[in-house]
Amino acid sequence: MCDIRQSLLPRDVLSAAKELLYHLDIYISNLVQSGRHPLQVDMKTLELIEEFILHAPKDRNALARRMSALQDLQLLEIMCSCFQEQSRDTVRHLMFSALFSLQGNQADDNRMGLLGKLISMAVAVGRVPILECAATWLQSTHRVYCVRLAQVLVDDYCSMMPGSVPTLQNIHIACPRFCCQFLTAVATLYDFTSDELIPPLELLQMIVSWIQNDPHLLLVTFHNTPLSGQAISSLDVTPLGGLVHWCVKAPLGYRRDKKLASLHRSSEHENDVADLFSALHLSILQVFMLLPNVLNDKGIFGRLALLQMDSLASLTSDLSRQLDQSDKHGHTSTTDILVLTQLALDRLAQALQVAMASGALLCSREDLRAMCSRLPHNKYNILEAKHNPLETRKGQPVCFASIYSFSAPIILLWYMLLRRFKPTISALKEKQCPCLCHFFTAIFLFLAVASFGVDLDIFMNFFFIPENIPQCSEAMKVEAAK
């Protein structure tokens, strides 16, 4: 490859880039065919890519070659065709890696700029092979750069051209792997630490729609990732942790958002946002309920936590900071602050309860007490639960796998029974038989509470009507009302 540099220098920037892509395809195809291991592109080839495709000057004193906007678009079209026409996955992924793997030098900014444009175009024109390569890139790259790529897509499809949101929304069908990684990246990006880091309404609507249509979407990367193949600096293996952060921080975070007032958004808009976060919270709890079977199939139940304690510790710290700051904002009444505070605490407790029951969270009672020590009490206080599954009779914390034999099966059994008898309860209500309806309901609740001490509000939407249960949680009310 290094001997073609002299032939590329006299060419214009677009022609040189096109010619180099052609030779790169041949070079990598021959490399794969040779069977040599490891499959690695040499440094001379990477330098040619930086000089003639990324247009990073070879020498500090040399002027960088520039492309016009039209040439930039033409190059993207050429690259899309190149990846689309390559029939061998190994060659395609190695070529993508040669172009966009970060090298820790000055060319990385150009690399990220070109990558963002290419992925945005791939989404627009439906180039699935490129999205598959991007999914692999997101899985192996430092999270800082993954977040930058996600920001480009959100800006392009949700901010600059809101009418193009349906185009981005289709990626969950076209390429679930990329969609799952994109979800994880945006869940990491928007952390509610400032008004700019609150997810846009269009993005929130799209994510809720994705998860409601296919709850397994959040587990796609987890299904396809080796247990030891995740670097510490890369994105989480699922977006669950980041989305739990969203749901817990949203009640106080969105009320603090000054953009609501500046854009003259109505109370109906705020209600829409609240409903979306309630639906997202419910969907996450439902995904947690899928985990016992998934973890058992992999043989790792009780050995691998999908929710990390350091992430939850950060969440409780951020929530405590939100509570401290909420009193300083005079535009929100004290009553509203109390209601929103209770809502945030309820969501946190519900998420922790279901995550522990499903095996997604592995920790001891002492760990939970230390983590939640700065938070106010709420009605779902799992630290004071009578039937705390994380503690033995002697008060010693145990691995949750040891009590899975009675806890998780009971939850799943009641889940199946409630779904099974939902038509019966509905039929009784239609026939104006409230006494029988309440009778069956009371029996189910009594037996369920007696068998497992978890707040059953999180299951109520599966078979009952919220107006008959005053303590039904806000997430269930919203979902059942629909």
Side-chain angles (χ1 to χ4, degrees), residues 43 101 395 418:
M43 285 301 301
S101 288
L418 297 181

Side-chain angles (χ1 to χ4, degrees), residues 289 407-420 444 451:
M289 294 300 296
S407 60
I410 289 176
I411 292 178
L412 295 176
L413 175 61
W414 281 114
Y415 172 81
M416 295 169 63
L417 286 175
L418 297 181
R419 290 300 295 264
R420 172 65 181 83
F444 272 109
S451 62

Side-chain angles (χ1 to χ4, degrees), residues 393-406:
R393 291 183 178 181
K394 294 182 179 180
Q396 297 299 321
V398 296
C399 177
F400 193 83
S402 63
I403 53 91
Y404 170 67
S405 58
F406 71 88

Side-chain angles (χ1 to χ4, degrees), residues 32-159:
V32 171
Q33 191 171 359
S34 69
R36 286 187 297 169
H37 290 283
L39 293 174
Q40 191 172 0
V41 177
D42 62 70
M43 285 301 301
K44 293 294 185 181
T45 301
L46 295 178
E47 290 175 0
L48 290 175
I49 290 172
E50 292 178 357
E51 183 177 1
F52 292 100
I53 296 179
L54 303 177
H55 305 120
K58 188 175 179 63
D59 301 318
R60 290 185 177 182
N61 297 327
L63 294 176
R65 308 180 85 183
R66 299 292 182 183
M67 277 188 173
S68 65
L70 179 59
Q71 289 176 323
D72 214 10
L73 180 60
Q74 290 173 328
L75 176 61
L76 293 174
E77 290 178 345
I78 292 170
M79 295 181 74
C80 279
S81 299
C82 181
F83 284 107
Q84 189 72 21
E85 294 168 1
Q86 176 55 251
S87 58
R88 288 184 290 180
D89 290 342
T90 305
V91 174
R92 189 189 305 116
H93 281 273
L94 191 56
M95 188 172 179
F96 192 92
S97 177
L99 288 167
F100 299 113
S101 288
L102 301 172
Q103 303 299 318
N105 55 26
Q106 294 181 346
D108 282 348
D109 285 338
N110 295 17
R111 203 183 312 272
M112 288 300 302
L114 181 60
L115 176 62
K117 295 174 185 177
L118 178 65
I119 302 305
S120 186
M121 174 174 279
V123 170
V125 298
R127 293 292 185 260
V128 176
I130 295 179
L131 297 181
E132 289 286 350
C133 292
T136 303
W137 184 91
L138 285 166
Q139 196 170 340
S140 58
T141 304
H142 195 288
R143 65 180 63 197
V144 171
Y145 296 96
C146 298
V147 163
R148 283 179 59 180
L149 178 58
Q151 181 72 73
V152 170
L153 295 178
V154 173
D155 289 343
D156 286 352
Y157 288 94
C158 298
S159 300

Side-chain angles (χ1 to χ4, degrees), residues 61-316:
N61 297 327
L63 294 176
R65 308 180 85 183
R66 299 292 182 183
M67 277 188 173
S68 65
L70 179 59
Q71 289 176 323
D72 214 10
L73 180 60
Q74 290 173 328
L75 176 61
L76 293 174
E77 290 178 345
I78 292 170
M79 295 181 74
C80 279
S81 299
C82 181
F83 284 107
Q84 189 72 21
E85 294 168 1
Q86 176 55 251
S87 58
R88 288 184 290 180
D89 290 342
T90 305
V91 174
R92 189 189 305 116
H93 281 273
L94 191 56
M95 188 172 179
F96 192 92
S97 177
L99 288 167
F100 299 113
S101 288
L102 301 172
Q103 303 299 318
N105 55 26
Q106 294 181 346
D108 282 348
D109 285 338
N110 295 17
R111 203 183 312 272
M112 288 300 302
L114 181 60
L115 176 62
K117 295 174 185 177
L118 178 65
I119 302 305
S120 186
M121 174 174 279
V123 170
V125 298
R127 293 292 185 260
V128 176
I130 295 179
L131 297 181
E132 289 286 350
C133 292
T136 303
W137 184 91
L138 285 166
Q139 196 170 340
S140 58
T141 304
H142 195 288
R143 65 180 63 197
V144 171
Y145 296 96
C146 298
V147 163
R148 283 179 59 180
L149 178 58
Q151 181 72 73
V152 170
L153 295 178
V154 173
D155 289 343
D156 286 352
Y157 288 94
C158 298
S159 300
M160 295 177 61
M161 297 182 295
S164 61
V165 169
T167 303
L168 181 60
Q169 189 164 4
N170 290 333
I171 64 172
H172 82 286
I173 298 174
C175 187
R177 280 188 66 230
F178 177 77
C179 185
C180 182
Q181 290 293 124
F182 173 73
L183 273 171
T184 309
V186 294
T188 304
L189 168 62
Y190 294 102
D191 59 4
F192 288 80
T193 55
S194 68
D195 292 343
E196 291 72 26
L197 294 178
I198 293 176
L201 177 62
E202 295 80 5
L203 176 65
L204 181 60
Q205 290 172 329
M206 181 169 59
I207 290 176
V208 171
S209 173
W210 280 343
I211 304 174
Q212 287 180 335
N213 290 335
D214 182 12
H216 288 275
L217 181 64
L218 300 186
L219 305 177
V220 170
T221 303
F222 176 64
H223 281 299
N224 296 283
T225 303
L227 298 182
S228 59
Q230 200 73 5
I232 297 177
S233 60
S234 60
L235 292 173
D236 293 339
V237 74
T238 74
L240 286 169
L243 295 178
V244 167
H245 279 241
W246 282 21
C247 295
V248 173
K249 295 177 181 178
L252 294 170
Y254 250 92
R255 296 289 296 189
R256 191 207 68 231
D257 187 5
K258 299 176 183 178
K259 291 184 289 185
L260 290 176
S262 65
L263 295 176
H264 305 288
R265 293 178 177 175
S266 63
S267 59
E268 288 79 7
H269 171 87
E270 293 187 31
N271 291 334
D272 290 343
V273 171
D275 290 349
L276 285 171
F277 277 111
S278 291
L280 178 62
H281 177 59
L282 172 60
S283 297
I284 292 171
L285 298 183
Q286 291 172 330
V287 173
F288 278 134
M289 294 300 296
L290 301 174
L291 284 176
N293 287 336
V294 174
L295 294 173
N296 274 322
D297 289 343
K298 284 179 168 280
I300 55 175
F301 191 94
R303 296 193 294 114
L304 178 67
L306 294 184
L307 287 186
Q308 301 298 323
M309 282 297 293
D310 56 351
S311 174
L312 293 175
S314 173
L315 172 58
T316 57

